[in-house]
Amino acid sequence: MHGSYSPSLVLLSILVAVLASHAALQLIRQVALSVSRASRLGWLLGGALAMGLGIWSMHFIGMLAYDIGTSVTYEWGLTLLSMMVAVLSSGLALWANTLSRLTLPWLFGSGAVMGGGIASMHYLGMAAMQMPMAYRYDAPLLGLSILVAVIASTAALWLGGLFLHQRRPRRSYQALAALLMGGAIAGMHYLGMAAMEVVPDSVMPAPPLRPGEGQHVWLAVILGVASLAVLGLTLLALKAESRVRRSRHYRARLSGLLEYRTRELRHERDQVTVMLDSIDEGVISLDREGMIRHINPIAAELCGWDPALARGRPWARILQLRHEGSLHMMDTHLDVVLSRGEVVHMANQTLLVARDGSECAIELKASPVRARNDEVEGAVLVFRDISYRQAMIRRLDFQAHHDSLTGLQNRSAFDDALGASLEDGDLHQLLYLDLDFFKVINDTCGHAAGDTVLREIAHLMREQIRDSDVLARLGGDEFAVILYRCNREQALERASRLCSTIADYRYLEDGRQFQLGVSIGLASITGSAPATEVLRQADAACYMAKQNGRNQVHAYHEEDAGLERAQRELQWLPLLQEALEKRFFTLYIQPIESLCRPSSGPYYEVLLRYVNAEGEHMTPAHFMGTAERFGLMPAIDVWVVTEALQVLKSNDGRIEEDAILAINLSGQSLSDMPLRDQLITMIEESGVAPERLCFEITETAAISNLAQAREFIRGIRRLGCSFSLDDFGSGMSSFAYLKELPVNQLKIDGAFVRNLTRDSLDAAIVSAICRICAQMGIVTIAEYVERRDLLPALEQIGVDLVQGYGIGRPQPLGGVLLTSGPRRDNGPAASLQG
């Protein structure tokens, strides 16, 4: 016989089963996540009790829902025993999930024990039923119910372990698992109930306790409500514990993060402090009120304050700034940093006044410190002591513009002053002074005595001129004075006083007395002549003063120029002799372009330069007259040819491999047959192809000794060298002598080329020269082509080659040639040394 079920109580039992399953899954996770042993034990005991009571309540409500048509009572001992079995089974499930690793044997073993415990709870509860009927169990259904209990328990343990290893299990998965487990537990119960078959038995004694009609329902409701309340409170406790645990976790993480960031910030602060204290610049940080937050040791030392005393004080009390020129305080200059957030840079003429009153020059930069809202919350002042640097600058500036021996202005400063005096439009006077008999002291007493004399003479001269005038030592025993806003008569008077003062000077050493004098040349500074010309005039006047008896003043006059030139030539003679001996000459080259021979190779004119002691490269115009007057030109010609052959032979990249060089020969060399033989030998021994050499002679030199010039040219042309006739057209009988000279090229005098496009007569002369040369097979070269707009006209006339600044400027041999237009192929050309 089978009874019936109350649907409402069945649903209540299933609800209790699902809620108990959900609580079981949460309790498994909570027990496993408990940190302390006491907490884990408390949750294990409390969880076992809540979970066990939940499962038992579902079972008991399910039995109360079963109606077999007769009154049923329960034996309390077995009922309590079934409850204890449920609690113990739940405790086993919770304990199994506290293991560090739940292996499959443990999982299946624990599931079997827990399932057996739940089955035992169920059938103990069934055994506690007392009714006037007997009952028996259907074995297959009985076994199936036990199997369901074991499977449900194993699944519960597995799901608990699965959710345990998930950081945040999804609630939908947990709800689905609770439904499945609750359904399995309810299914096991109702399978067990279905396995029971009731057999009426009239002789069974009445139960000791018989509840009245409807008491089963109320008992089930009360038990269900109580179970739901217990399980609900359990879930609430779990939720609260989870929040507490999460809050504790977040607090721990936040505390760790704050501690980490605090350590980092403290470390960064210490690093910044060490860095600020280690740099060699003063650093002061201010708050928004201008109070000092931090001052590094360098800043404290410069300000003369102890860092501990300086902190918290107004910056203006510690950092007192003053203008170097006006000595006014500059504190207000830094107020704009805090008030308006501007960056202030004080680089010049800023003095820092220390606490003890000492001063030093500083360079300072003040920058605002802004908060995130862009408001100024402080400032940083960075400054350094530049006293040494400024002293060095002043010292270097003084050394650059003053003579180290006498303290007077040097040549550089004098040149600047002379240039400025030429531009102001006023009348000034220049005195050029050369000490007389100074060499006697140097040779007799030594250079130390000479230095002493120069210092004392400089002091005497400084006393005789105005503070506004310029007194400079140009070198050796030569001095110069610029007398500002002074006419010639006044200048002569002051120069005479200088002569008298120096004539009265005596130098004593070892009982010997030496007297000096001074020769002074005077020239006016009017602005009409350049500085070099004014200095030349004063120098020439000084030379005239020496020639006229020394220790006197001579004012420059134009008739002094001839004597000046003679003196210059005498001064050049030892320099040229030394230059030949010590190789103080150097070579330049200037390109010559072809107008009609695109296949011609590169061709250059060789130019000579003298390198003086200051490194200046001087043109032959300065020394050619001296060389010709004293017969040095042949030696110079040999030097130039030797250097040119070396360049062509070395092939070291200073010039193109196929380049042709044109070299000038002087008139003196043309009449020197032994020199011709020497040149032939040099060319043959060098191994250089003679076709790469062209020798240039001037028309005047060739005509002055026509026979010898003709023989000279023919001798060298036999080697394969070419010749060019320079300055053609400057002579009186150029065409008459042209056919007498076996030259290959002809250079048209620049006087006919400069204004070719503006003067029809010049164009006609050049055209006639080109036509005659074309008839004679001579290549024409136009000199002084200073503008490229001359090229079309020259090409139309028939000029073959062009040369001049418009084509390319002279450059050191091996340097880059500067051209004013596109490069053309060059043809044969002559050469100059000027």
Side-chain angles (χ1 to χ4, degrees):
M1 167 182 179
H2 295 281
S4 60
Y5 290 94
S6 171
S8 58
L9 294 182
V10 170
L11 291 176
L12 179 60
S13 68
I14 294 174
L15 177 61
V16 171
V18 171
L19 191 59
S21 299
H22 181 65
L25 293 175
Q26 298 298 321
L27 286 167
I28 289 173
R29 182 176 178 84
Q30 180 60 41
V31 171
L33 294 178
S34 297
V35 178
S36 64
R37 177 177 294 183
S39 174
R40 182 177 299 177
L41 181 61
W43 279 107
L44 181 62
L45 295 177
L49 183 62
M51 181 177 170
L53 288 177
I55 296 174
W56 180 84
S57 297
M58 174 269 159
H59 159 74
F60 201 75
I61 293 171
M63 288 193 299
L64 292 177
Y66 186 64
D67 184 13
I68 56 173
T70 184
S71 62
V72 178
T73 60
Y74 296 91
E75 202 280 319
W76 295 110
L78 290 177
T79 301
L80 292 176
L81 181 60
S82 67
M83 182 187 298
M84 292 179 62
V85 170
V87 172
L88 290 175
S89 299
S90 301
L92 174 63
L94 295 176
W95 174 79
N97 275 277
T98 61
L99 300 177
S100 58
R101 184 179 180 186
L102 185 61
T103 61
L104 287 177
W106 267 101
L107 176 65
F108 290 126
S110 300
V113 173
M114 181 178 176
I118 292 175
S120 298
M121 173 213 63
H122 173 76
Y123 288 108
L124 280 173
M126 295 289 291
M129 294 177 63
Q130 296 180 356
M131 52 188 172
M133 299 178 185
Y135 58 88
R136 59 176 178 269
Y137 291 101
D138 185 342
L141 290 177
L142 176 65
L144 182 60
S145 67
I146 295 174
L147 180 61
V148 169
V150 172
I151 292 174
S153 299
T154 304
L157 293 175
W158 178 77
L159 287 172
L162 179 64
F163 292 141
L164 177 64
H165 292 91
Q166 294 180 358
R167 186 176 180 182
R168 289 186 179 181
R170 291 188 178 182
R171 293 183 179 180
S172 58
Y173 290 170
Q174 290 180 319
L176 180 61
L179 285 173
L180 293 176
M181 285 182 60
I185 294 173
M188 175 269 162
H189 171 79
Y190 289 109
L191 275 174
M193 295 294 291
M196 182 181 71
E197 184 179 355
V198 180
V199 179
D201 187 2
S202 60
V203 296
M204 181 175 291
L209 178 63
R210 295 179 178 276
E213 188 69 25
Q215 287 183 344
H216 286 174
V217 176
W218 285 107
L219 181 60
V221 170
I222 293 172
L223 187 59
V225 171
S227 300
L228 291 176
V230 171
L231 292 174
L233 290 174
T234 302
L235 291 175
L236 288 175
L238 288 171
K239 189 67 175 177
E241 178 64 19
S242 175
R243 289 189 175 182
V244 170
R245 184 175 63 252
R246 191 176 303 141
S247 175
R248 190 181 301 117
H249 172 70
Y250 288 151
R251 284 200 303 271
R253 286 188 61 185
L254 182 60
S255 176
L257 182 61
L258 288 175
E259 184 178 355
Y260 173 75
R261 289 298 300 158
T262 301
R263 287 198 304 269
E264 275 197 338
L265 291 174
R266 189 179 296 114
H267 179 66
E268 291 177 1
R269 183 198 62 189
D270 294 341
Q271 281 187 323
V272 170
T273 301
V274 171
M275 179 180 66
L276 293 178
D277 291 348
S278 301
I279 62 177
D280 57 355
E281 295 182 342
V283 180
I284 298 177
S285 62
L286 311 176
D287 59 19
R288 68 179 60 194
E289 303 300 328
M291 300 297 180
I292 295 179
R293 288 176 175 170
H294 178 78
I295 179 171
N296 72 343
I298 295 296
E301 180 181 355
L302 292 175
C303 296
W305 282 79
D306 183 87
L309 295 177
R311 294 188 188 97
R313 293 178 181 266
W315 70 266
R317 174 81 181 280
I318 307 301
L319 191 70
Q320 299 186 33
L321 304 177
R322 181 180 296 169
H323 191 274
E324 185 176 8
S326 64
L327 300 181
H328 293 158
M329 299 304 293
M330 302 176 64
D331 300 346
T332 56
H333 288 67
L334 296 182
D335 291 340
V336 296
V337 180
L338 293 172
S339 62
R340 296 202 293 265
E342 297 179 2
V343 177
V344 175
H345 191 195
M346 299 180 181
N348 298 313
Q349 296 187 322
T350 303
L351 293 178
L352 170 62
V353 183
R355 191 178 186 183
D356 59 1
S358 60
E359 298 177 348
C360 67
I362 65 168
E363 183 179 49
L364 181 144
K365 182 178 181 181
S367 303
V369 177
R370 298 183 180 275
R372 291 187 176 181
N373 59 3
D374 204 37
E375 290 186 359
V376 178
E377 63 176 9
V380 174
L381 313 180
V382 181
F383 56 96
R384 56 180 173 174
D385 184 357
I386 60 172
S387 300
Y388 178 77
R389 186 183 74 181
Q390 287 197 341
M392 288 300 298
I393 291 174
R394 286 192 290 266
R395 180 180 177 183
L396 291 174
D397 182 71
F398 183 86
Q399 291 176 348
H401 295 88
H402 290 78
D403 175 52
S404 59
L405 177 63
T406 62
L408 302 178
Q409 294 191 27
N410 60 14
R411 179 62 181 265
S412 176
F414 169 77
D415 289 341
D416 293 341
L418 181 57
S421 66
L422 290 169
E423 297 175 358
D424 62 11
D426 290 333
L427 175 63
H428 314 296
Q429 303 297 324
L430 172 62
L431 302 182
Y432 194 99
L433 299 87
D434 190 353
L435 297 181
D436 300 326
F437 314 115
F438 175 74
K439 191 174 184 299
V440 176
I441 298 177
N442 251 348
D443 295 342
T444 306
C445 305
H447 290 286
D451 292 345
T452 301
V453 170
L454 289 176
R455 284 192 292 267
E456 293 177 353
I457 291 295
H459 178 71
L460 291 175
M461 288 192 294
R462 191 183 292 111
E463 291 179 343
Q464 297 300 319
I465 65 172
R466 300 169 299 180
D467 293 338
S468 59
D469 296 333
V470 173
L471 172 61
R473 182 188 177 204
L474 303 184
D477 58 353
E478 296 179 347
F479 299 84
V481 178
I482 299 178
L483 301 173
Y484 289 105
R485 296 170 183 83
C486 182
N487 57 38
R488 177 161 289 200
E489 289 71 20
Q490 293 171 330
L492 287 171
E493 180 184 352
R494 293 175 185 175
S496 298
R497 287 205 303 267
L498 285 172
C499 279
S500 301
T501 300
I502 295 175
D504 294 340
Y505 171 77
R506 300 291 185 272
Y507 178 72
L508 299 175
E509 183 172 338
D510 297 334
R512 294 177 295 179
Q513 180 175 284
F514 297 89
Q515 182 179 2
L516 296 178
V518 62
S519 298
I520 302 178
L522 186 151
S524 297
I525 303 174
T526 62
S528 59
T532 54
E533 177 62 20
V534 174
L535 189 60
R536 184 193 64 80
Q537 293 175 3
D539 188 14
C542 179
Y543 173 75
M544 293 299 298
K546 283 187 177 293
Q547 294 296 314
N548 294 335
R550 299 178 184 270
N551 197 35
Q552 58 181 276
V553 182
H554 183 86
Y556 178 80
H557 301 284
E558 290 298 331
E559 54 268 20
D560 298 335
L563 187 58
E564 176 195 353
R565 283 192 296 271
Q567 175 63 18
R568 288 289 177 261
E569 291 178 358
L570 290 174
Q571 292 176 350
W572 266 109
L573 179 59
L575 297 178
L576 294 178
Q577 293 171 336
E578 184 182 24
L580 286 170
E581 180 182 352
K582 298 183 179 180
R583 304 175 64 86
F584 289 163
F585 289 119
T586 188
L587 295 182
Y588 276 51
I589 56 175
Q590 184 178 25
I592 303 174
E593 291 188 357
S594 175
L595 292 178
C596 58
R597 296 186 181 184
S599 60
S600 300
Y603 214 13
Y604 303 100
E605 173 187 353
V606 176
L607 308 173
L608 182 65
R609 297 290 185 267
Y610 170 79
V611 183
N612 64 14
E614 287 75 28
E616 296 179 273
H617 290 198
M618 306 181 70
T619 64
H622 293 83
F623 57 82
M624 191 64 71
T626 302
E628 291 177 345
R629 178 180 176 185
F630 294 99
L632 297 179
M633 282 308 304
I636 294 176
D637 288 344
V638 171
W639 188 92
V640 173
V641 173
T642 302
E643 291 297 312
L645 288 173
Q646 178 62 32
V647 170
L648 294 174
K649 179 181 178 180
S650 63
N651 194 23
D652 55 5
R654 287 183 289 172
I655 199 170
E656 295 89 339
E657 295 182 4
D658 59 342
I660 300 174
L661 294 182
I663 306 170
N664 176 264
L665 293 178
S666 66
Q668 295 176 0
S669 297
L670 281 178
S671 59
D672 191 340
M673 291 301 113
L675 176 64
R676 182 199 65 177
D677 298 336
Q678 181 183 357
L679 293 178
I680 292 174
T681 302
M682 291 169 56
I683 295 171
E684 290 176 340
E685 292 179 351
S686 69
V688 174
E691 293 78 10
R692 300 185 64 188
L693 291 172
C694 177
F695 292 100
E696 180 179 335
I697 59 175
T698 63
E699 178 188 5
T700 303
I703 293 174
S704 63
N705 197 336
L706 187 59
Q708 285 186 329
R710 184 168 52 238
E711 185 62 26
F712 189 100
I713 294 172
R714 286 173 178 169
I716 294 182
R717 281 194 61 178
R718 294 190 190 102
L719 292 176
C721 300
S722 58
F723 266 82
S724 178
L725 187 62
D726 192 15
D727 297 335
F728 186 80
S730 60
M732 297 299 294
S733 305
S734 298
F735 289 112
Y737 292 102
L738 181 58
K739 61 182 181 180
E740 300 293 334
L741 296 172
V743 295
N744 305 87
Q745 297 94 27
L746 182 146
K747 299 187 77 171
I748 304 171
D749 190 86
F752 304 117
V753 177
R754 288 192 183 95
N755 299 315
L756 181 74
T757 58
R758 303 166 185 162
D759 192 321
S760 58
L761 182 58
D762 288 344
I765 293 174
V766 173
S767 178
I769 294 174
C770 290
R771 287 197 303 272
I772 293 174
C773 288
Q775 291 291 328
M776 300 178 66
I778 298 176
V779 175
T780 55
I781 305 171
E783 294 186 292
Y784 293 94
V785 180
E786 298 176 350
R787 309 188 314 276
R788 295 195 70 87
D789 58 1
L790 294 172
L791 297 182
L794 292 170
E795 187 172 6
Q796 184 178 4
I797 289 174
V799 173
D800 299 308
L801 303 171
V802 289
Q803 178 186 4
Y805 280 7
I807 306 303
R809 291 179 176 271
Q811 292 292 323
L813 183 57
V816 179
L817 292 176
L818 299 178
T819 61
S820 60
R823 177 75 179 273
R824 293 171 177 250
D825 292 322
N826 299 333
S831 65
L832 283 173
Q833 292 162 348

